[in-house]
């Protein structure tokens, strides 16, 4: 079997996980139905889309969409940290969604009670075959008095509202995709898959925030991954990722920061190793290293023959039978979660 380059392996990997056109069409249709309900509930509001579908980096299976309403000054009056919480707004959104969508989706469920930030819509009907359901998070947000960003609900804190800027976030992501000629979105798809197969140390937004700083020009996917992991490993030495929009606090982590750093360092080392092997025309060794980062979408390869040849060559060149031993790969860890 002909060996494949890192470029071919990554192209095949990303195509395995990228969302299908049929999934996107149906998800966008349902999102627009929700947007129409929000516009009816809050006349004069600005509807915005965020999340993976809006950002152009969704993977399959597609299980949810995200959207929100930036309320008009009239509808926002009386709400905010010094006034009322978002519960009445969420209930208003819930009632409109139920009225507009129940006929088409008889198993529809719209939840407000116990929700931290957004109204949760369960369609009772998946977009991707074989999935249990398809959901939507629907936010009711109000303008921030400064004009920068929004107040979004947070029912778990004393103020009941957080500051954020999901509209700016989407603009940043779409700008990065355009500027990098889609490399940004393709790399983020792979990085989200890496994250899911290694204990989810980061949320998706943290991945994208780090990528905004490290994947800024068109480049091969392997170079984009190398740039991301090198940058992320450096950044977490000084603390959590800051909000790219400059209005929210640091992005929360899903694991202790030392565990996050461990996974990033290991991924960086394997990506570097794959590139080194490829440069030395050792495709099986390169593929083996890459498969450690993407075990479910990059098939493993046996590097034994290439490694034996490498060692023989080093012995001939140096006369030292021990030369090069122990430099083939980072210490192999049986659990892909790298430290769990």
């Amino acid at each position: 079997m002909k060996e494949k380059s890192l470029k071919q392996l990554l192209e095949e990997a990303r195509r395995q996980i990228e969302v299908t056109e049929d999934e996107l069409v149906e998800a966008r249709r349902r999102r627009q139905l929700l947007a129409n309900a929000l516009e009816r509930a809050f006349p004069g509001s600005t509807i915005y889309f965020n999340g993976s579908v809006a950002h152009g980096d969704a993977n399959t299976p597609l299980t949810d969409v995200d959207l929100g309403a930036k309320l008009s000054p009239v509808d926002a009056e009386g709400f905010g940290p010094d006034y009322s919480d978002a519960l009445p707004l969420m209930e208003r959104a819930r009632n409109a969604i139920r009225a507009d969508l129940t006929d088409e989706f008889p198993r529809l469920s719209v939840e407000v009670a116990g929700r931290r930030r957004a109204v949760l819509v369960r369609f009772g009907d998946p977009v991707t075959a074989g999935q249990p359901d398809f959901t939507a998070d629907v936010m009711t947000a109000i303008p921030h008095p400064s004009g920068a960003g929004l107040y979004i609900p947070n029912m778990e804190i004393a103020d009941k509202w957080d500051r954020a800027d999901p509209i700016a976030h989407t603009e940043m992501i779409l700008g990065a995709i355009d500027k990098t000629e889609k490399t940004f979105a393709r790399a983020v798809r792979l990085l989200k898959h890496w994250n899911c197969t290694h204990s989810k140390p980061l949320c998706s937004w943290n991945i994208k925030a780090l990528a905004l700083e490290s994947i800024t020009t068109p480049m091969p996917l392997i170079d984009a991954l190398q740039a991301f992991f090198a940058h992320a490993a450096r950044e977490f030495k000084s603390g959590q990722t800051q909000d790219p929009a400059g209005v929210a606090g640091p992005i929360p982590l899903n694991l202790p920061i030392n565990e996050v750093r461990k996974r990033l360092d290991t991924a960086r080392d394997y990506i570097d190793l794959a590139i080194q092997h490829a440069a030395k025309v050792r495709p099986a060794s390169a593929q083996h290293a890459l498969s450690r980062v993407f075990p479910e979408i990059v098939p493993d390869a046996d590097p034994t023959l290439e490694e034996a040849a490498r060692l023989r060559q080093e012995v001939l060149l140096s006369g030292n039978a021990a030369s090069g031993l122990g430099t083939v790969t980072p210490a192999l860890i049986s659990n892909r979660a790298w430290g769990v």
Side-chain angles (χ1 to χ4, degrees):
M1 184 174 64
K2 184 179 179 182
E3 276 110 354
K4 296 177 180 177
S5 67
L6 294 179
K7 178 180 178 180
Q8 290 172 314
L9 290 168
L10 289 173
E11 285 295 318
E12 291 176 3
R14 76 169 181 85
R15 289 193 177 100
Q16 288 181 57
I17 59 175
E18 69 182 3
V19 68
T20 68
E21 186 62 25
D22 287 345
E23 288 173 300
L24 276 179
V25 167
E26 179 58 16
R28 287 169 175 159
R29 185 185 76 85
R30 296 187 190 189
R31 186 180 64 180
Q32 189 58 50
L33 292 175
L34 294 169
N36 294 343
L38 283 179
E39 287 178 333
R40 187 173 65 79
F42 303 104
S45 63
T46 299
I47 306 301
Y48 64 87
F49 300 145
N50 59 312
S52 63
V53 172
H55 293 172
D57 54 45
N59 285 341
T60 190
L62 188 57
T63 57
D64 62 4
V65 287
D66 302 274
L67 70 156
K70 175 185 176 181
L71 273 56
S72 68
V74 172
D75 283 326
E77 187 175 357
F79 295 94
D82 296 325
Y83 303 98
S84 176
D85 64 32
L87 184 59
L89 301 175
M90 296 167 75
E91 291 174 338
R92 190 166 157 188
R94 176 195 61 196
N95 295 340
I97 292 167
R98 282 177 175 170
D100 286 12
L101 276 71
T102 298
D103 285 348
E104 181 176 352
F105 301 98
R107 297 174 60 194
L108 185 80
S109 168
V110 190
E111 301 174 13
V112 169
R115 299 295 300 166
R116 177 189 177 199
R117 290 198 183 280
V119 177
L120 175 63
V121 180
R122 300 183 189 274
F123 284 87
D125 181 14
V127 162
T128 306
Q131 292 302 301
D133 203 352
F134 185 76
T135 67
D137 283 332
V138 181
M139 191 86 70
T140 50
I142 61 176
H144 191 271
S146 70
L150 306 173
Y151 273 133
I152 62 173
N154 185 346
M155 306 299 281
E156 296 179 356
I157 63 173
D159 283 347
K160 303 298 183 182
W161 297 87
D162 270 337
R163 193 176 175 192
D165 200 341
I167 297 174
H169 291 169
T170 298
E171 291 172 351
M172 290 176 183
I173 297 299
L174 296 180
I177 292 172
D178 184 60
K179 187 166 61 173
T180 63
E181 298 176 3
K182 299 184 179 179
T183 300
F184 183 95
R186 291 169 179 173
V188 166
R189 280 196 170 100
L190 289 166
L191 290 164
K192 291 198 298 184
H193 185 83
W194 162 81
N195 191 57
C196 287
T197 55
H198 293 89
S199 303
K200 294 186 177 180
L202 305 173
C203 69
S204 293
W205 175 237
N206 204 337
I207 291 171
K208 296 175 195 182
L210 291 164
L212 284 170
E213 298 175 334
S214 56
I215 305 172
T216 57
T217 60
M219 64 181 79
L221 271 176
I222 190 65
D223 293 347
L225 295 172
Q226 185 181 45
F228 174 88
F229 284 119
H231 172 73
R234 287 193 304 269
E235 286 296 298
F236 279 107
K237 289 180 179 178
S238 58
Q240 294 169 238
T241 311
Q242 299 301 310
D243 174 27
V247 299
I251 302 172
L253 300 173
N254 293 335
L255 293 175
I257 193 166
N258 286 342
E259 293 298 323
V260 174
R261 289 174 58 186
K262 185 184 299 183
R263 285 156 178 74
L264 290 168
D265 288 346
T266 305
R268 176 201 59 201
D269 291 346
Y270 276 121
I271 292 292
D272 288 348
L273 190 64
I275 292 171
Q276 292 166 20
H277 282 312
K280 296 292 186 179
V281 197
R282 295 193 287 263
S285 299
Q287 183 170 337
H288 175 68
L290 190 63
S291 73
R292 301 293 294 176
V293 183
F294 303 110
E296 295 182 353
I297 54 177
V298 174
D300 201 357
D302 185 355
T304 305
L305 294 177
E306 287 180 357
E307 176 57 12
R310 182 185 75 82
L311 291 175
R312 284 196 300 271
Q313 182 66 19
E314 290 197 357
V315 169
L316 289 173
L317 292 175
S318 68
N320 182 356
S323 175
L325 291 176
T327 64
V328 181
T329 66
L332 297 184
I333 301 171
S334 60
N335 190 319
R336 75 176 54 158
W338 296 335
V340 169

